[in-house]
Amino acid sequence: MKALEIESTGILNPFQACSALVNVDGVGNTNLVVADLAGIGKLSNAASQNLNSATHMFTSIKVFQGHRLLNEHIVPAPPVALVHFYPDSDVTPRIPVIALGSGPDVFMYHANTPFQRFTLPFIKPHPQEEEAWKDLSVAVAAALSQAAECSGTGFIDDEVLQFAWNRIVELRDSGAPITRRSLEFISGCSDTQSRRVMVNNEALTPLLIQPDISCMTVLNRNSFTKDAQAMLVIGTEQGIVYLVSPPQYSVVEQRTLPSPIAHVGVIGLYEKEFSIFCACRDGSIQVISSAKSKSMKRILFDVLLVGVIGLRDHFIVASMKKQVFSYTTEAHLMYSFSVPSPITAIEKVETNSTFCGYAVAMMDGQVHLYDGRDLVSKISANGSVCSIRFGDFGRDSSCLVMITSTGELDVRILRRNARLLPLKPAAPDPAAVKVSASHFPIPKKTRGYLDLMKRERENSKEIYQKFQLDLMHLRLVAARATLNNAKRRLNPVCDISNLKLSVEVKGFGPTYRIYVRLLNAGTDTLENLFVLLAADSRAYSIDTAGFEVAVLFSEHCVNRSSLMHAHQNTNEGVSDMVQVFVFEHGVRNRVLIANKIPVPLN
């Protein structure tokens, strides 16, 4: 890395999520776009023309060309995230849209001018809170009606007010999210009179929760190119992830998480396969995949997280305990290591060559560049780095743009012929998983096999016991079936001689005719066969109960029939089945084939 320039801007005070390198005008001259959080400062001449004074509390979007301030736009509310994307795929010239998240709104700028505003949909409140405010609205309406008739004060009773207050406090203590109105009602109002006034002013308006944006990123729709059509992925303080599709800017998908979202990272394409990593404020990571199943994988940490970025096939997570973790899209730990100072920001570093790594900015001003878990470069900045971006800057490519806590802009350019090799072999980390796959992509089937092998190794005793139990159960079922078949000797096909037997009983009663068809489906000629027809003698009598088949050639069949008479005084409980047996003549105790069929009802 070589330094391009170090320039002090004086009032720059962004954080990592509020900066981006954007080709604002579409001519190939990339600008640095920063949502400045300086607070008190002097506006530029262009931005302060419509204001009475040049000094105000403000937040603004600043566009830099090199180290020179090119443009500035005032933002009506403090920003929390800034990204750029291309809302369509066929419009030329390719000019991106800058999206700024602030409160429930996304302010969009196109070609250095305000373009559009998108507001997230309202969220329905908790049913118990909604019911409490509904009771209050009914009580307020009744009180106002009595006051109009000159028979009341216009305020609700203390008992109704106290009951609603207790219900909302109980709901808050249970951990359920409540609206700002309820928070103001139970915490902002110190006495009963102030609560009455607040309820009279607010109870008759609809109770809705307006989501607050906490983080934002971009997910490409169907291509990995820089100017591909993309979607917005928005995380909120209410724990909801929204996928917003331009150019209509409609919510195409949303997922609800158990905790507010602090950071979000993506991998893949929306129309093919993607994964979203959501770092929550409770110290956990929720992994959302593109599968139809709504189930999500969860990773628990004992510390809050600084940032999440997605590389080609895995995620990098930075924590406040000076640790960096790498996870696959299946939430499996690949490796982890420690850094010498607390982490302030993390950024993806991908060049036009095969290198795809990441930069870690630390509080002591050091910026480390990693390839997997190998350190490949070290950079020192003049102060703690609060924002870091990598990409094209101006007409130069592969630039590392850093903004320090003192407001300085530090730009470093990667040489075109630079070879990013490890400075020294990385020391093994005992807290990391032994299997490390950071240097080569692992196919899905191989990864599944490794996961299965690891599971079998860790649970070998339980798996072996379960296998033996299933094997014993299978043997028991097979033995019972064999014994049952041997007792009944009922098999319509003889495996030894390929002999097939079909039986049919026809008639309306009391006289029936039994049709027997015997087929030799094998290649050998069968001799000396005897066919026996049997029925319950208490109910039926058969004229010809058996016949002999002297010779049965291959692929030939024999058809026989016999009359069967039903007795008039048939007792209940007798069998109504006709059984047919085929024996070897002279060996009556060996049944070659057998079948049975029920007699039609009279």
Side-chain angles (χ1 to χ4, degrees):
M1 291 278 183
K2 65 176 182 178
L4 173 66
E5 55 188 327
I6 300 178
E7 186 72 23
S8 177
T9 62
I11 60 173
L12 273 182
N13 187 23
F15 55 94
Q16 176 67 10
C18 287
S19 62
L21 297 174
V22 187
N23 184 12
V24 175
D25 51 9
V27 298
N29 193 1
T30 306
N31 306 97
L32 173 64
V33 182
V34 176
D36 191 15
L37 303 176
I40 299 180
K42 291 181 180 260
L43 298 176
S44 62
N45 294 330
S48 60
Q49 291 177 355
N50 298 327
L51 298 177
N52 297 327
S53 176
T55 303
H56 294 275
M57 291 290 294
F58 72 95
T59 57
S60 62
I61 294 181
K62 295 182 178 181
V63 180
F64 289 89
Q65 186 173 0
H67 64 278
R68 181 174 61 88
L69 181 62
L70 182 65
N71 204 346
E72 185 174 5
H73 297 281
I74 304 301
V75 181
V80 294
L82 185 147
V83 297
H84 71 283
F85 66 98
Y86 294 88
D88 41 45
S89 58
D90 54 356
V91 177
T92 55
R94 306 294 290 156
I95 300 178
V97 172
I98 300 173
L100 182 72
S102 178
D105 302 315
V106 179
F107 300 95
M108 301 181 195
Y109 300 84
H110 185 259
N112 269 327
T113 57
F115 173 60
Q116 195 170 352
R117 175 178 176 179
F118 168 74
T119 302
L120 291 177
F122 287 99
I123 305 172
K124 192 174 182 181
H126 194 279
Q128 186 175 341
E129 181 185 6
E130 190 174 13
E131 185 179 354
W133 280 102
K134 184 178 180 180
D135 296 342
L136 287 175
S137 64
V138 172
V140 169
L144 293 177
S145 176
Q146 292 177 2
E149 297 175 358
C150 300
S151 60
T153 62
F155 293 100
I156 63 176
D157 297 336
D158 292 346
E159 295 182 359
V160 177
L161 191 68
Q162 186 63 33
F163 180 72
W165 189 87
N166 292 336
R167 291 179 65 182
I168 296 176
V169 168
E170 182 181 353
L171 181 63
R172 181 201 61 181
D173 295 341
S174 66
I178 60 176
T179 60
R180 295 178 181 177
R181 182 196 297 181
S182 297
L183 286 175
E184 182 181 355
F185 175 60
I186 62 177
S187 301
C189 301
S190 58
D191 54 3
T192 305
Q193 183 61 29
S194 60
R195 291 173 191 166
R196 285 201 198 99
V197 175
M198 186 265 180
V199 168
N200 276 37
N201 294 333
E202 301 288 343
L204 297 179
T205 59
L207 182 67
L208 295 173
I209 300 177
Q210 203 167 31
D212 297 313
I213 298 174
S214 59
C215 55
M216 194 162 52
T217 188
V218 171
L219 174 64
N220 284 6
R221 182 176 287 274
N222 52 24
S223 175
F224 287 107
T225 57
K226 290 184 178 180
D227 60 348
Q229 185 180 9
M231 307 172 60
L232 289 176
V233 181
I234 303 174
T236 64
E237 293 291 347
Q238 286 71 29
I240 303 177
V241 180
Y242 296 93
L243 268 69
V244 180
S245 175
Q248 292 81 12
Y249 296 101
S250 58
V251 177
V252 296
E253 191 173 347
Q254 71 180 54
R255 300 284 185 91
T256 302
L257 307 184
S259 175
I261 305 168
H263 309 281
V264 63
V266 298
I267 286 179
L269 301 174
Y270 177 74
E271 294 184 357
K272 294 182 180 179
E273 185 178 0
F274 68 89
S275 297
I276 302 176
F277 262 45
C278 300
C280 300
R281 299 199 188 278
D282 61 353
S284 67
I285 286 184
Q286 303 286 340
V287 184
I288 303 173
S289 63
S290 55
K292 294 182 179 180
S293 174
K294 296 297 183 180
S295 61
M296 294 179 289
K297 302 178 180 62
R298 188 181 186 189
I299 306 171
L300 296 177
F301 291 87
D302 58 352
V303 66
L304 296 181
L305 303 177
V306 177
V308 178
I309 60 171
L311 300 184
R312 291 172 181 172
D313 58 351
H314 60 284
F315 287 89
I316 303 298
V317 182
S319 73
M320 289 187 176
K321 276 191 175 181
K322 302 186 291 184
Q323 285 184 312
V324 178
F325 302 88
S326 175
Y327 285 90
T328 66
T329 55
E330 298 296 327
H332 299 311
L333 179 64
M334 297 173 61
Y335 58 84
S336 69
F337 60 89
S338 300
V339 293
S341 180
I343 301 172
T344 57
I346 185 170
E347 172 66 1
K348 178 180 179 180
V349 177
E350 186 172 10
T351 62
N352 295 330
S353 60
T354 58
F355 180 80
C356 182
Y358 53 96
V360 179
M362 289 169 281
M363 193 172 293
D364 60 356
Q366 294 290 321
V367 178
H368 289 184
L369 187 61
Y370 290 92
D371 181 11
R373 63 195 303 265
D374 296 324
L375 178 64
V376 298
S377 181
K378 291 183 178 181
I379 303 170
S380 296
N382 294 338
S384 177
V385 177
C386 59
S387 178
I388 179 171
R389 292 297 177 188
F390 183 85
D392 299 339
F393 186 58
R395 295 288 180 177
D396 298 301
S397 60
S398 301
C399 296
L400 191 67
V401 181
M402 300 173 287
I403 301 175
T404 65
S405 58
T406 59
E408 292 185 351
L409 181 63
D410 191 349
V411 183
R412 309 295 176 99
I413 301 178
L414 182 67
R415 294 184 177 90
R416 296 181 183 273
N417 59 350
R419 297 182 61 190
L420 298 174
L421 300 177
L423 298 180
K424 61 179 181 179
D429 189 356
V433 173
K434 296 180 181 179
V435 179
S436 176
S438 60
H439 293 84
F440 56 90
I442 302 178
K444 290 184 178 180
K445 291 185 178 180
T446 304
R447 187 162 56 238
Y449 172 75
L450 292 175
D451 295 341
L452 179 62
M453 184 175 62
K454 179 183 176 182
R455 175 180 172 272
E456 291 180 350
R457 183 172 61 248
E458 294 177 350
N459 306 280
S460 57
K461 183 177 178 181
E462 292 80 2
I463 293 176
Y464 179 75
Q465 292 177 350
K466 185 68 169 59
F467 170 75
Q468 291 296 327
L469 181 62
D470 293 342
L471 182 61
M472 293 175 61
H473 180 70
L474 180 62
R475 288 175 177 174
L476 179 61
V477 171
R480 286 176 176 173
T482 303
L483 180 60
N484 189 27
N485 191 36
K487 288 181 178 180
R488 295 184 178 181
R489 294 185 178 272
L490 299 177
N491 189 2
V493 179
C494 179
D495 296 332
I496 300 176
S497 59
N498 291 325
L499 191 64
K500 295 184 178 179
L501 173 65
S502 62
V503 183
E504 190 175 5
V505 179
K506 294 184 178 180
F508 295 100
T511 301
Y512 305 90
R513 182 170 290 276
I514 305 174
Y515 295 90
V516 179
R517 186 173 183 269
L518 198 61
L519 172 65
N520 183 6
T523 57
D524 299 331
T525 301
L526 302 178
E527 299 177 353
N528 297 326
L529 301 178
F530 185 83
V531 180
L532 176 63
L533 283 69
D536 196 333
S537 59
R538 295 174 295 175
Y540 307 101
S541 60
I542 302 175
D543 292 350
T544 305
F547 57 89
E548 294 184 2
V549 179
V551 179
L552 184 58
F553 295 101
S554 175
E555 301 298 333
H556 283 70
C557 65
V558 174
N559 296 307
R560 295 287 189 273
S561 64
S562 178
L563 291 175
M564 183 178 69
H565 307 280
H567 299 165
Q568 296 296 330
N569 55 349
T570 302
N571 297 325
E572 294 183 358
V574 299
S575 174
D576 60 347
M577 305 295 291
V578 176
Q579 301 186 30
V580 181
F581 303 91
V582 179
F583 299 91
E584 290 184 39
H585 193 60
V587 191
R588 296 294 180 88
N589 58 347
R590 182 185 180 190
V591 178
L592 293 180
I593 188 171
N595 202 349
K596 64 179 181 178
I597 187 171
V599 178
L601 297 175
N602 291 334

